[in-house]
Each structure stands twice: as C-alpha cells, then as structure tokens.
Amino acid sequence: MAFTAIEAATLSQQYSNLLLPVIQQGNSRTAPSTMFKTGCVGQDIQVLDYIGKITNHQFDNLVRIRDIDTDNIVGSVTADTRWLPRPVLFESVLMFNEESKLLRLVDMESGIRDEQIKAINRDMDILFCNAAGGKAITSIADVAASGNIPAHIASPYDMVALPATQIKDASAKTPTSLLDEMLAVLDAADVDTMEHPVYCYINSEFKEKLFNDPRYDNWNNMGTQVLADGELTPYRGVRFVRLSDTDVLAQSTLVKASGNATMEHCAIMAAGKPICTGIWSDVKTTINQNPQKDNAWQLQTKVSMASTRLDEVRIVIAENTNALI
C-alpha cells in the first residue's frame, strides 16, 4: 500500500518530536564546556547576561569608595551582555528507496536517528570551535549598517576578540610544556579550576604526541594502561576530548592569528562553561517524494543553532599543534 501525503506528514511530526528532545540534551563532545540555551525562537539576536568575577568591597566608616572617573563603586561587579548571533541553518537530506524503511524512523532503536544526532552534535562542536576563538557580540554599535544582522536593526555589532594573552604558540614544545603554559594563563587570570573543571579539546595528532610524551607518562604513572585503554587520563586536572579532525576541526572557520593555519592544528582549553550554544525550537523534518529521484521518498531535517563566547579568561587556544615535538 502506497504511502499517502497525510501519513508522511504524521510520520514527519512523530520523528521531529523524537529528535528535538535528544538535540536539546546537548550531547556533543564539547558539551562539558558549553551552556545550552534551548527554545530560541525567531530571527532576533538572543540576549545573554554575562557576569564576570564579583569582588566584594570594603566600606570605610560607611562611606562608599568610588572611582572618580566612572563614579562606580571600586570593586563592584563587572557586568556585560553577550548576544547570540542569528542562527546557522544545518540541513540534511536522506533518500529512501523503500517505504518500509521510513517507518523505522520512529523505532526507538533507529540507527538513522542516531546517526543524525551524531551529525548535529558535530555541528555543535564546529560552532563551539568558532565561538571559542572568534569575536563575541557585546552590543549593537551606533554606526553605519553592515554585517549579518536582523533587518530591523540598522547597526552592526560591537565585538570583542579573544585577547592575545589567551593564545599560545605550540611550535617546538612538548605537549605537557604547552599544557603547562595554557594552565598558567588560567592561573594568571585567577580562574578557579576547582569550581570550573578544565577540558582540553584536541585532534588525533596532539593525542598521539601526548601519548609519547615521557613527562605525561610519568605524571600519570600508568604507562601501559593509558596506551591499552586508548584514552587519555587527566594531566594536572585537565581532561582531554578528541574532536574529529575531518568533521569538526577541519570544517571550523576559525583561523589562527597569523592567518595561515586552520583550527585543525589548534587545541582549545576551556574552564567551566565559557561557550553558550542556542538551539532554536523550530527543528523541522519533512518527508516527501523527490520527482528528480524517481519519486523516491526523502527525509529533510533542518536545525538552527548559534554559539558565542561568554568569557575571555576561561578560554585558551594553542596554535600550531602540528609543530609539537
């Protein structure tokens, strides 16, 4: 019995209802360092409140000590606003030569749905990499119109770049010496690594060189077990996550400061959750027939997401990791 348009629409809605909750769980590899904002709607930029380190101030005889230039209380909270940019649309199309295979989409053990979730998680990782080293939107500037912004806003963004102090060159360094330098950046900014767990996102080359670093082996005192398990144990409290070289790092649009290497040869160290990823609520799936493919049934999935950096001091990027020794 042939599939009807109504049955296809019903199946599409069922599949969408199964897909959205799993996407919103945020199970990407970079999830440990990501704050997820779900239920985003429309094309407007989503406002996020960012609050830096809070320092209590002392009162002397109940007289507030003020900064003469800004009239702000000395030691008051550093407050800022971060904005999610307009979402990036990620789309996939799967073809089915048999109608019976469509019915398996809503099977709880559907391999197709699992693979789509993995693809979306990789997209989240790409957004994470771009946001970590890219420019974060802090406000709307009052100057001439430009940039990828909603039509009703006639001004470009004010943006803040990742400071040069947060970028380290890996050339001619061992993996552990580079990690020491990256941790020193967090220490210099007084980042509480007990409150904010530290993760380092690396490629396969970095992983192999770290395996062969005697200092790393001595630190863990595990040697054979590390290699046998195939996973990296923490170094000085830093947990490691390998990102896909081809699906994530090579596709990230961020380039290193000198402009001659891609994120494929970078490592990202993050303390806590300094990146926010917004997931728009209008996850759309459509099932229909494609007349250009002999009326084969196709599943089209669209997901809109965007990411921004919430904090500069809790992100450190290492460049030229291919030049590690």
PDB file of all heavy atoms in Angstrom, residues 10-22 106 113 283 285:
ATOM      1  N   THR A  10       2.340  12.909   9.151  1.00  0.00           N
ATOM      2  CA  THR A  10       2.220  12.400  10.523  1.00  0.00           C
ATOM      3  C   THR A  10       3.530  11.773  10.987  1.00  0.00           C
ATOM      4  O   THR A  10       3.998  12.008  12.114  1.00  0.00           O
ATOM      5  CB  THR A  10       1.088  11.357  10.597  1.00  0.00           C
ATOM      6  OG1 THR A  10      -0.141  11.961  10.204  1.00  0.00           O
ATOM      7  CG2 THR A  10       0.955  10.813  12.016  1.00  0.00           C
ATOM      8  N   LEU A  11       4.131  10.978  10.123  1.00  0.00           N
ATOM      9  CA  LEU A  11       5.404  10.339  10.462  1.00  0.00           C
ATOM     10  C   LEU A  11       6.492  11.394  10.664  1.00  0.00           C
ATOM     11  O   LEU A  11       7.324  11.276  11.568  1.00  0.00           O
ATOM     12  CB  LEU A  11       5.815   9.365   9.356  1.00  0.00           C
ATOM     13  CG  LEU A  11       7.101   8.571   9.584  1.00  0.00           C
ATOM     14  CD1 LEU A  11       6.970   7.680  10.819  1.00  0.00           C
ATOM     15  CD2 LEU A  11       7.433   7.738   8.352  1.00  0.00           C
ATOM     16  N   SER A  12       6.467  12.427   9.833  1.00  0.00           N
ATOM     17  CA  SER A  12       7.444  13.508   9.953  1.00  0.00           C
ATOM     18  C   SER A  12       7.340  14.188  11.307  1.00  0.00           C
ATOM     19  O   SER A  12       8.351  14.469  11.961  1.00  0.00           O
ATOM     20  CB  SER A  12       7.247  14.522   8.829  1.00  0.00           C
ATOM     21  OG  SER A  12       8.116  15.629   8.996  1.00  0.00           O
ATOM     22  N   GLN A  13       6.115  14.456  11.755  1.00  0.00           N
ATOM     23  CA  GLN A  13       5.917  15.106  13.048  1.00  0.00           C
ATOM     24  C   GLN A  13       6.355  14.198  14.188  1.00  0.00           C
ATOM     25  O   GLN A  13       6.974  14.651  15.165  1.00  0.00           O
ATOM     26  CB  GLN A  13       4.444  15.486  13.220  1.00  0.00           C
ATOM     27  CG  GLN A  13       4.157  16.298  14.479  1.00  0.00           C
ATOM     28  CD  GLN A  13       4.928  17.603  14.502  1.00  0.00           C
ATOM     29  OE1 GLN A  13       4.865  18.382  13.549  1.00  0.00           O
ATOM     30  NE2 GLN A  13       5.675  17.841  15.578  1.00  0.00           N
ATOM     31  N   GLN A  14       6.073  12.916  14.073  1.00  0.00           N
ATOM     32  CA  GLN A  14       6.499  11.970  15.098  1.00  0.00           C
ATOM     33  C   GLN A  14       8.022  11.936  15.200  1.00  0.00           C
ATOM     34  O   GLN A  14       8.590  11.913  16.300  1.00  0.00           O
ATOM     35  CB  GLN A  14       5.962  10.570  14.779  1.00  0.00           C
ATOM     36  CG  GLN A  14       4.455  10.421  14.941  1.00  0.00           C
ATOM     37  CD  GLN A  14       3.968   9.048  14.509  1.00  0.00           C
ATOM     38  OE1 GLN A  14       4.629   8.353  13.738  1.00  0.00           O
ATOM     39  NE2 GLN A  14       2.804   8.645  15.007  1.00  0.00           N
ATOM     40  N   TYR A  15       8.667  11.922  14.053  1.00  0.00           N
ATOM     41  CA  TYR A  15      10.132  11.873  14.029  1.00  0.00           C
ATOM     42  C   TYR A  15      10.714  13.153  14.623  1.00  0.00           C
ATOM     43  O   TYR A  15      11.672  13.114  15.398  1.00  0.00           O
ATOM     44  CB  TYR A  15      10.613  11.684  12.591  1.00  0.00           C
ATOM     45  CG  TYR A  15      12.120  11.540  12.466  1.00  0.00           C
ATOM     46  CD1 TYR A  15      12.760  10.404  12.947  1.00  0.00           C
ATOM     47  CD2 TYR A  15      12.885  12.535  11.871  1.00  0.00           C
ATOM     48  CE1 TYR A  15      14.127  10.261  12.842  1.00  0.00           C
ATOM     49  CE2 TYR A  15      14.256  12.403  11.755  1.00  0.00           C
ATOM     50  CZ  TYR A  15      14.873  11.269  12.244  1.00  0.00           C
ATOM     51  OH  TYR A  15      16.228  11.128  12.148  1.00  0.00           O
ATOM     52  N   SER A  16      10.115  14.292  14.281  1.00  0.00           N
ATOM     53  CA  SER A  16      10.569  15.572  14.825  1.00  0.00           C
ATOM     54  C   SER A  16      10.420  15.606  16.341  1.00  0.00           C
ATOM     55  O   SER A  16      11.305  16.091  17.050  1.00  0.00           O
ATOM     56  CB  SER A  16       9.787  16.724  14.190  1.00  0.00           C
ATOM     57  OG  SER A  16      10.224  17.969  14.700  1.00  0.00           O
ATOM     58  N   ASN A  17       9.310  15.075  16.844  1.00  0.00           N
ATOM     59  CA  ASN A  17       9.076  15.050  18.293  1.00  0.00           C
ATOM     60  C   ASN A  17      10.088  14.175  19.018  1.00  0.00           C
ATOM     61  O   ASN A  17      10.419  14.425  20.186  1.00  0.00           O
ATOM     62  CB  ASN A  17       7.656  14.550  18.585  1.00  0.00           C
ATOM     63  CG  ASN A  17       6.592  15.528  18.137  1.00  0.00           C
ATOM     64  OD1 ASN A  17       6.863  16.707  17.929  1.00  0.00           O
ATOM     65  ND2 ASN A  17       5.375  15.034  17.962  1.00  0.00           N
ATOM     66  N   LEU A  18      10.583  13.149  18.355  1.00  0.00           N
ATOM     67  CA  LEU A  18      11.617  12.295  18.942  1.00  0.00           C
ATOM     68  C   LEU A  18      12.990  12.940  18.868  1.00  0.00           C
ATOM     69  O   LEU A  18      13.826  12.780  19.760  1.00  0.00           O
ATOM     70  CB  LEU A  18      11.653  10.939  18.227  1.00  0.00           C
ATOM     71  CG  LEU A  18      10.479   9.981  18.474  1.00  0.00           C
ATOM     72  CD1 LEU A  18      10.589   8.774  17.549  1.00  0.00           C
ATOM     73  CD2 LEU A  18      10.445   9.536  19.927  1.00  0.00           C
ATOM     74  N   LEU A  19      13.212  13.704  17.807  1.00  0.00           N
ATOM     75  CA  LEU A  19      14.531  14.277  17.548  1.00  0.00           C
ATOM     76  C   LEU A  19      14.843  15.456  18.459  1.00  0.00           C
ATOM     77  O   LEU A  19      15.940  15.554  19.018  1.00  0.00           O
ATOM     78  CB  LEU A  19      14.597  14.721  16.082  1.00  0.00           C
ATOM     79  CG  LEU A  19      15.980  14.886  15.444  1.00  0.00           C
ATOM     80  CD1 LEU A  19      16.723  13.558  15.426  1.00  0.00           C
ATOM     81  CD2 LEU A  19      15.831  15.423  14.018  1.00  0.00           C
ATOM     82  N   LEU A  20      13.884  16.375  18.616  1.00  0.00           N
ATOM     83  CA  LEU A  20      14.133  17.623  19.337  1.00  0.00           C
ATOM     84  C   LEU A  20      14.606  17.420  20.775  1.00  0.00           C
ATOM     85  O   LEU A  20      15.597  18.037  21.184  1.00  0.00           O
ATOM     86  CB  LEU A  20      12.883  18.510  19.298  1.00  0.00           C
ATOM     87  CG  LEU A  20      13.000  19.863  20.014  1.00  0.00           C
ATOM     88  CD1 LEU A  20      14.152  20.673  19.425  1.00  0.00           C
ATOM     89  CD2 LEU A  20      11.700  20.636  19.915  1.00  0.00           C
ATOM     90  N   PRO A  21      13.948  16.578  21.587  1.00  0.00           N
ATOM     91  CA  PRO A  21      14.420  16.421  22.976  1.00  0.00           C
ATOM     92  C   PRO A  21      15.849  15.917  23.071  1.00  0.00           C
ATOM     93  O   PRO A  21      16.604  16.329  23.956  1.00  0.00           O
ATOM     94  CB  PRO A  21      13.426  15.407  23.569  1.00  0.00           C
ATOM     95  CG  PRO A  21      12.217  15.492  22.713  1.00  0.00           C
ATOM     96  CD  PRO A  21      12.737  15.780  21.334  1.00  0.00           C
ATOM     97  N   VAL A  22      16.230  15.027  22.162  1.00  0.00           N
ATOM     98  CA  VAL A  22      17.599  14.490  22.188  1.00  0.00           C
ATOM     99  C   VAL A  22      18.591  15.581  21.820  1.00  0.00           C
ATOM    100  O   VAL A  22      19.675  15.694  22.417  1.00  0.00           O
ATOM    101  CB  VAL A  22      17.736  13.292  21.232  1.00  0.00           C
ATOM    102  CG1 VAL A  22      19.148  12.721  21.297  1.00  0.00           C
ATOM    103  CG2 VAL A  22      16.727  12.210  21.599  1.00  0.00           C
ATOM    104  N   VAL A 106      10.789   6.037  13.491  1.00  0.00           N
ATOM    105  CA  VAL A 106      10.248   6.247  14.834  1.00  0.00           C
ATOM    106  C   VAL A 106      10.526   5.060  15.753  1.00  0.00           C
ATOM    107  O   VAL A 106      10.036   5.024  16.885  1.00  0.00           O
ATOM    108  CB  VAL A 106       8.730   6.521  14.775  1.00  0.00           C
ATOM    109  CG1 VAL A 106       8.468   7.847  14.089  1.00  0.00           C
ATOM    110  CG2 VAL A 106       7.996   5.396  14.061  1.00  0.00           C
ATOM    111  N   ARG A 113      18.223   7.676  13.103  1.00  0.00           N
ATOM    112  CA  ARG A 113      18.104   8.807  14.022  1.00  0.00           C
ATOM    113  C   ARG A 113      19.389   9.005  14.818  1.00  0.00           C
ATOM    114  O   ARG A 113      19.827  10.142  15.053  1.00  0.00           O
ATOM    115  CB  ARG A 113      16.924   8.598  14.974  1.00  0.00           C
ATOM    116  CG  ARG A 113      16.598   9.856  15.782  1.00  0.00           C
ATOM    117  CD  ARG A 113      15.395   9.692  16.687  1.00  0.00           C
ATOM    118  NE  ARG A 113      15.644   8.790  17.797  1.00  0.00           N
ATOM    119  CZ  ARG A 113      15.164   7.557  17.881  1.00  0.00           C
ATOM    120  NH1 ARG A 113      14.407   7.071  16.911  1.00  0.00           N
ATOM    121  NH2 ARG A 113      15.424   6.789  18.921  1.00  0.00           N
ATOM    122  N   VAL A 283      12.962  22.924  15.074  1.00  0.00           N
ATOM    123  CA  VAL A 283      13.581  21.800  14.366  1.00  0.00           C
ATOM    124  C   VAL A 283      12.530  21.237  13.412  1.00  0.00           C
ATOM    125  O   VAL A 283      11.430  20.872  13.819  1.00  0.00           O
ATOM    126  CB  VAL A 283      14.048  20.718  15.343  1.00  0.00           C
ATOM    127  CG1 VAL A 283      14.560  19.501  14.584  1.00  0.00           C
ATOM    128  CG2 VAL A 283      15.123  21.267  16.262  1.00  0.00           C
ATOM    129  N   THR A 285      11.402  18.614  10.291  1.00  0.00           N
ATOM    130  CA  THR A 285      11.621  17.433   9.457  1.00  0.00           C
ATOM    131  C   THR A 285      10.481  17.341   8.450  1.00  0.00           C
ATOM    132  O   THR A 285       9.321  17.569   8.796  1.00  0.00           O
ATOM    133  CB  THR A 285      11.667  16.151  10.302  1.00  0.00           C
ATOM    134  OG1 THR A 285      10.426  15.999  10.991  1.00  0.00           O
ATOM    135  CG2 THR A 285      12.794  16.198  11.310  1.00  0.00           C
TER     136      THR A 285
END
